Amino acid sequence: MDFMIRAATPEDCKDISRMIMELAVYENMPDQVKISHEVLEQDGFCKNPFFHCLVAEVAEQYRTTEGYTVIGYALFFYTYSTWKGRSVYMEDLYVMPEFRGEFPGKGVGTALMSKVAQVGKEQQCVRLQFSVLNWNTPSLDFYKAKGAQDLTDSEGWHVLRFDGEALDKLAQMAPKN
Amino acid sequence: MANFILRKAEPRDVPDILRLIKELAKFEEMEEQVVLTETELLQDGFGEQPFYHCIMAEVPEDRRSSDGHTVVGFAMYYFTYDPWIGKMLYLEDFYVMKEYRGMAVHTQYIHSTAVKSRCSGMHFIVAEWNKPSIDFYKRRGASDLSHEEGWRLFEIDKEYLLKMSAK
C-alpha cells in the first residue's frame, strides 16, 4: 500500500490547516476560514478534545512538488441522538486532487471514511452523519455509492444556525439564575 | 416565586429525560424510533467523557403536573467543531410539556445554553414541516443554512457502517 491512515498528532495541525483552506477554496468560501493551526492544536489535543482527526500520509517518493506527504484528512466528533444514542459526525473529508482516483493504492477517501466508521463502531456509535452541499455532485455520488441516504430529501431536515450578532443577542437574554 | 428554574441535569434526572424524549418523539410521530435506554443515558451523559449535556426545567411542588412530575422540560446539547471557526454548540433536543408552554421556558433554554459555552455559533436541525419551530427560531435570528447555502444532511446507518468498517 502506498499510503497509510493514522490518527493526527499536534504536529499535523499545520498540514490539516493547509488542507482545510484547500477544501474551503473548493467550496467557494475561502474567506470564511477564521482559525489557525494553533487553535486546532488547542481544541483537538486538550483533555476533552472538541474533535478527532485522521490523516492520510503517502510514502516519501509520492510527496507533492511542495514537499507534502500528508495528503488527506477526516475530521470528526461524537454527537448524540435522543432516539438511538451515540453517533459520529464527519465534519470534513478531503483528499488533495492529485491523490484521488488514479493514485496507486487508490481509495484514500474511502480508506479515511472507513476508518472513521471503524473508530465510531469501536465507540458503540450507531450511525455516521455528515453534510454535503447540494451542488457537489462528485461527493454526492461518492457517498451515495457507499449507501448514504440524503435525509434532507427523505425526511425534510434543514440545518439552522445562530452566529455572530444573532447569537450574542440570544445570549444576552439568558436568565440570571 | 419563579414559575420554573433551569438547572444542570444530574444522574437522578435520567428517568425524566427519557420520559420527555419519548413525549417529544410522540409529537414528531416517531415514538417507536426511541430505542435508547436509561442505562445508556446514564453511561453516556455522566461518564468520564460525556456524549451530551442536559439542562432541566423544573417547577415548584405546587405546580406539579397531573401525573406528579415537577421536571417539565429539557434541552440536550453537545459540542461540535467547525474547522473554519472552531468550537460550536449543537442543540439536539429541546422540549417543554404542553401544559407548561408559554412561560418562555423554550426561549430561556436557548439563551442559557448559548451564554454558558463561549462558542462561535449554535447549530441545530429542524424538520421542514415543523413550521411553528422554524418561525420560533427565525424570529430569534437563526438562518436556514439548507436554504441559503444548499447544505443537505446525510446519514450512513448501522448496516452500511458495518460494511465500511470491515474493509
Side-chain angles (χ1 to χ4, degrees):
Chain A
M1 185 164 289
D2 296 298
F3 68 90
M4 68 164 201
I5 307 296
R6 58 171 177 78
T9 63
E11 293 69 40
D12 289 317
C13 288
K14 289 201 178 82
D15 277 302
I16 298 168
S17 201
R18 167 182 57 84
M19 290 186 287
I20 285 172
M21 184 56 92
E22 287 174 23
L23 180 51
V25 167
Y26 173 75
E27 288 172 347
N28 300 319
M29 309 205 226
D31 46 311
Q32 305 256 19
V33 180
K34 310 288 184 205
I35 60 172
S36 63
H37 69 90
E38 287 99 345
V39 175
L40 288 177
E41 277 166 34
Q42 264 170 20
D43 295 342
F45 299 91
C46 53
K47 181 166 182 269
N48 279 337
F50 287 84
F51 68 86
H52 304 274
C53 201
L54 297 170
V55 294
E57 188 162 32
V58 295
E60 271 298 325
Q61 69 258 40
Y62 294 109
R63 106 168 78 107
T64 69
T65 42
E66 301 99 325
Y68 304 126
T69 53
V70 172
I71 52 85
Y73 75 101
L75 190 148
F76 61 99
F77 42 79
Y78 297 103
T79 63
Y80 206 72
S81 155
T82 45
W83 297 351
K84 300 179 180 169
R86 300 181 187 188
S87 289
V88 57
Y89 189 88
M90 188 172 69
E91 173 65 32
D92 271 5
L93 177 67
Y94 176 76
V95 177
M96 291 171 72
E98 58 258 55
F99 296 95
R100 298 176 201 166
E102 297 308 312
F103 177 65
K106 70 179 172 184
V108 180
T110 300
L112 278 165
M113 194 170 178
S114 301
K115 193 71 187 173
V116 173
Q118 190 182 76
V119 170
K121 290 294 299 177
E122 279 163 16
Q123 291 294 323
Q124 293 140 63
C125 295
V126 299
R127 65 189 189 193
L128 168 65
Q129 286 189 319
F130 50 97
S131 300
V132 186
L133 287 161
N134 57 6
W135 54 257
N136 191 352
T137 315
S139 294
L140 287 166
D141 292 343
F142 173 83
Y143 294 124
K144 283 183 172 172
K146 288 173 168 46
Q149 309 155 49
D150 182 340
L151 298 184
T152 301
D153 249 355
S154 57
E155 295 177 15
W157 292 101
H158 280 225
V159 181
L160 271 73
R161 173 165 72 195
F162 277 104
D163 63 5
E165 210 182 292
L167 185 64
D168 287 341
K169 272 195 184 153
L170 202 55
Q172 270 156 40
M173 293 162 74
K176 312 296 179 217
N177 79 293
Chain B
M1 179 184 256
N3 283 333
F4 65 93
I5 59 152
L6 295 185
R7 58 171 179 78
K8 246 172 117 158
E10 293 163 27
R12 65 184 170 95
D13 290 315
V14 160
D16 278 308
I17 296 172
L18 188 56
R19 170 180 60 87
L20 295 166
I21 285 172
K22 287 182 171 167
E23 274 185 37
L24 176 53
K26 202 166 174 186
F27 167 69
E28 288 172 339
E29 293 169 6
M30 309 254 206
E31 202 182 358
E32 70 294 347
Q33 301 257 14
V34 180
V35 298
L36 200 56
T37 63
E38 285 183 13
T39 309
E40 285 163 339
L41 273 172
L42 193 60
Q43 271 172 3
D44 298 342
F46 300 94
E48 217 184 86
Q49 233 192 66
F51 282 77
Y52 71 85
H53 304 275
C54 217
I55 296 180
M56 314 305 299
E58 191 160 29
V59 296
E61 272 298 329
D62 57 348
R63 302 206 63 218
R64 100 168 80 107
S65 71
S66 43
D67 37 1
H69 301 294
T70 54
V71 172
V72 301
F74 79 109
M76 180 187 278
Y77 65 95
Y78 41 80
F79 297 101
T80 65
Y81 206 75
D82 183 319
W84 297 353
I85 55 180
K87 290 178 279 194
M88 300 280 285
L89 184 145
Y90 189 89
L91 183 62
E92 172 61 32
D93 260 10
F94 178 21
Y95 176 76
V96 176
M97 287 167 70
K98 213 164 173 189
E99 58 254 59
Y100 298 94
R101 293 181 201 161
M103 290 195 296
V105 180
H106 270 84
T107 307
Q108 306 271 30
Y109 276 145
I110 298 191
H111 302 156
S112 176
T113 51
V115 79
K116 285 180 170 138
S117 42
R118 277 147 52 205
C119 292
S120 309
M122 184 162 86
H123 274 183
F124 46 98
I125 57 176
V126 187
E128 69 192 355
W129 54 257
N130 190 349
K131 200 159 185 312
S133 293
I134 293 182
D135 291 343
F136 172 87
Y137 295 124
K138 281 187 162 171
R139 269 203 304 275
R140 280 157 187 76
S143 355
D144 182 337
L145 300 185
S146 290
H147 250 117
E148 292 173 27
E149 294 176 12
W151 289 102
R152 311 191 67 77
L153 179 65
F154 274 78
E155 173 180 285
I156 294 188
D157 70 13
K158 226 173 178 166
E159 188 197 327
Y160 286 101
L161 212 56
L162 212 53
K163 280 192 185 152
M164 283 182 62
S165 59
K167 281 205 181 134

